[in-house]
Amino acid sequence: MIDAERIRKDFPIFQAHPRMVYLDSAATSQRPAAVIDAVSNFYRKYNANVARGLYKIAEEATLGYENVRKKTQMFIKARSDAEIIFTKNSTEGANLVMRGWGAKFIRKGDKIVTTLMEHHSDFVPWQQLAKMSGAKFEVVGLDDDGALDQDDLGRKLKGAKLFAFSSASNVLGIRYDAKALCALAREAGALSVVDGAQSVPSMPTDVKAMGCDFLFFSGHKMLAPFGSGVLYGREELLEKMDPFLYGSSMIRMVTKERTQWNDVPHKFEAGTPIVDAVVGLGAAIDYLEGLGMGEVQKHEEMLIAYMLKRLGEVRGLDIIGPQSASARTGLVAFSLEGVHPHDVSAMLAEDDICVRSGHHCAMPLHGHLGIPASTRASVYIYNRKEDIDALAASLQKVRKVFG
Ligand SMILES: Cc1ncc(COP(=O)(O)O)c(C=O)c1O
């Protein structure tokens, strides 16, 4: 079981701001000392460029960087570390698939399918790919409870070449059945691209069991430094893809006339990588595995069940997405009748409560919900029930002020 009180001691930010109630981990998580120290240690002890020098610290840096690739492979249960590409975030992962696979294999008249609940990072690349290639762009609708409309999904997947969806929504908070959705894509002959930005930090991930072709996520939402992201891709697909960026490191041989690409995954990592961030990602994975991802999921479910109960007590508060914690990841978005979401978060900030208001980079979804914006509270391993009590008390104050 996760002991959030003990965990908080590992996070220097909570010592710097003892009264702060941080409920914005779906935007970015806080970082434990182990991650901060790993980055600092890298600069203090073995800072050098990777895959270049033959001297001791250069070899240590290369080894450190490549070890994180192996660690990441184990963390998401990929078949080989060649299937792990370091990116700077989820957005780059989606764009890499769009440029590397999409621009090569999607043709005029093909069909690309995504869903209405996507973050812009998993929506705009596919919409633009369709525009570039002349492919059809189909968006699967949602049921009233936020589930994917199964009839619409079945219809739209027919004849599709690519299906991109999030394994957890950053607004509805729903965890979708990624395994079943990947199977449907496969049956339809489409490749599956899974946006794991909100699910990978919160639950065990097994890409083999999921059966996805690609999955991307961001380190900064799971304790790691900004600038650490991962794209997983099945090796045979990565082999067939073109590089996304050209330049150094991604080449085997260059002449005046032509260039031969490096092996995967290096083919996709042009230029000097963000070595410190990747080293920090390794420390973040160690920290999370020390807790156990199953425990992380249980802790979030416990907190979200409590949050749903406490938010339900606030008059005029409308919870977006399901009322049950079991189908949810660690976030709840809501609107408060008669109060603009920005006023909600500004008033909560006066009580040192950090939440996020806006469209959460999901404008098509907010359009579907018929609201321009919402407020979102999200939890992680360091949150306690008392953080949620503070949120509920502060929302009651907002209610009083706005009537
Ligand atoms: C579901 C989802 N996808 C993609 C992203 C984009 O992540 P990043 O900004 O790290 O690229 C986010 C970030 O909030 C997200 O929640």
Side-chain angles (χ1 to χ4, degrees):
M1 211 171 94
I2 280 187
D3 178 355
E5 213 56 69
R6 190 195 59 71
I7 284 177
R8 290 172 81 78
K9 298 200 172 78
D10 293 339
F11 287 73
I13 202 149
F14 295 124
Q15 280 129 50
H17 303 277
R19 285 189 50 252
M20 179 178 74
V21 175
Y22 189 72
L23 292 171
D24 199 20
S25 294
T28 199
S29 69
Q30 294 302 337
R31 277 57 161 192
V35 168
I36 299 166
D37 291 348
V39 175
S40 160
N41 204 38
F42 166 73
Y43 282 117
R44 286 170 196 280
K45 298 196 175 143
Y46 59 105
N47 170 45
N49 210 331
V50 293
R52 285 163 172 79
L54 291 177
Y55 46 89
K56 189 164 175 285
I57 58 168
E59 284 181 351
E60 269 182 63
T62 304
L63 195 65
Y65 182 79
E66 290 303 326
N67 276 344
V68 180
R69 204 186 299 280
K70 288 202 181 69
K71 218 170 255 193
T72 309
Q73 174 204 342
M74 311 289 219
F75 185 63
I76 62 167
K77 306 207 167 25
R79 286 165 203 86
S80 144
D81 64 351
E83 297 182 319
I84 306 297
I85 300 161
F86 292 124
T87 62
K88 68 175 191 293
N89 51 32
S90 296
T91 305
E92 189 178 308
N95 278 273
L96 203 160
V97 178
M98 179 264 203
R99 298 271 171 193
W101 189 87
K104 187 167 182 182
F105 295 110
I106 294 285
R107 296 273 164 269
K108 191 170 180 353
D110 285 346
K111 194 173 9 166
I112 305 167
V113 181
T114 188
T115 85
L116 202 50
M117 53 84 178
E118 301 308 316
H119 186 283
H120 297 159
S121 293
D122 194 40
F123 193 91
V124 181
W126 315 122
Q127 181 193 56
Q128 295 307 307
L129 174 60
K131 280 202 181 11
M132 275 166 48
S133 60
K136 281 182 253 157
F137 179 57
E138 300 274 18
V139 181
V140 177
L142 304 172
D143 287 346
D144 290 345
D145 58 0
L148 296 181
D149 177 333
Q150 291 299 314
D151 293 340
D152 198 31
L153 177 65
R155 250 191 326 270
K156 288 184 172 153
L157 273 185
K158 251 188 220 127
K161 279 192 92 170
L162 182 144
F163 177 37
F165 66 92
S166 295
S167 37
S169 155
N170 68 320
V171 177
L172 299 165
I174 299 177
R175 261 191 276 122
Y176 293 89
D177 185 345
K179 186 176 176 183
L181 291 171
C182 290
L184 285 177
R186 211 165 31 251
E187 278 162 32
L191 288 190
S192 50
V193 183
V194 180
D195 174 349
Q198 293 295 344
S199 79
V200 174
S202 296
M203 60 190 281
T205 302
D206 181 335
V207 289
K208 286 202 293 292
M210 192 191 290
C212 58
D213 293 302
F214 296 99
L215 168 116
F216 55 79
F217 56 99
S218 302
H220 70 89
K221 294 184 198 287
M222 46 175 278
L223 313 180
F226 287 120
S228 60
V230 174
L231 170 68
Y232 156 83
R234 279 203 297 114
E235 198 170 348
E236 56 176 291
L237 294 171
L238 296 179
E239 296 284 358
K240 289 185 198 147
M241 278 163 59
D242 281 340
F244 169 40
L245 296 169
Y246 300 108
S248 65
S249 308
M250 48 76 66
I251 56 93
R252 174 177 301 291
M253 192 271 305
V254 184
T255 64
K256 256 169 76 181
E257 290 74 31
R258 58 185 280 272
T259 298
Q260 204 181 354
W261 312 139
N262 203 343
D263 294 334
V264 293
H266 309 290
K267 176 168 95 172
F268 300 105
E269 292 179 9
T272 300
I274 312 179
V275 185
D276 55 347
V278 169
V279 166
L281 174 65
I285 290 175
D286 285 345
Y287 190 96
L288 287 170
E289 292 211 310
L291 299 175
M293 291 309 292
E295 293 301 314
V296 172
Q297 182 177 349
K298 273 193 222 153
H299 183 69
E300 286 195 357
E301 274 180 18
M302 178 277 288
L303 289 174
I304 291 300
Y306 189 61
M307 191 185 291
L308 290 169
K309 174 175 169 294
R310 294 303 321 265
L311 295 188
E313 293 161 12
V314 181
R315 184 170 47 81
L317 189 147
D318 191 18
I319 286 168
I320 299 168
Q323 303 294 318
S324 146
S326 64
R328 277 183 172 271
T329 185
L331 65 95
V332 178
F334 58 88
S335 42
L336 197 54
E337 199 186 350
V339 193
H340 193 280
H342 287 124
D343 292 331
V344 175
S345 57
M347 281 198 69
L348 294 182
E350 283 173 20
D351 285 340
D352 226 347
I353 297 173
C354 315
V355 297
R356 181 167 163 191
S357 287
H359 53 61
H360 311 297
C361 305
M363 289 174 96
L365 173 60
H366 277 84
H368 163 78
L369 295 170
I371 48 173
S374 57
T375 304
R376 182 182 72 187
S378 50
V379 296
Y380 208 30
I381 51 176
Y382 32 67
N383 288 113
R384 311 150 296 182
K385 278 184 164 178
E386 66 191 74
D387 296 332
I388 292 160
D389 289 334
L391 171 69
S394 197
L395 283 169
Q396 294 290 5
K397 270 173 43 187
V398 178
R399 187 69 290 166
K400 260 200 198 123
V401 170
F402 283 89

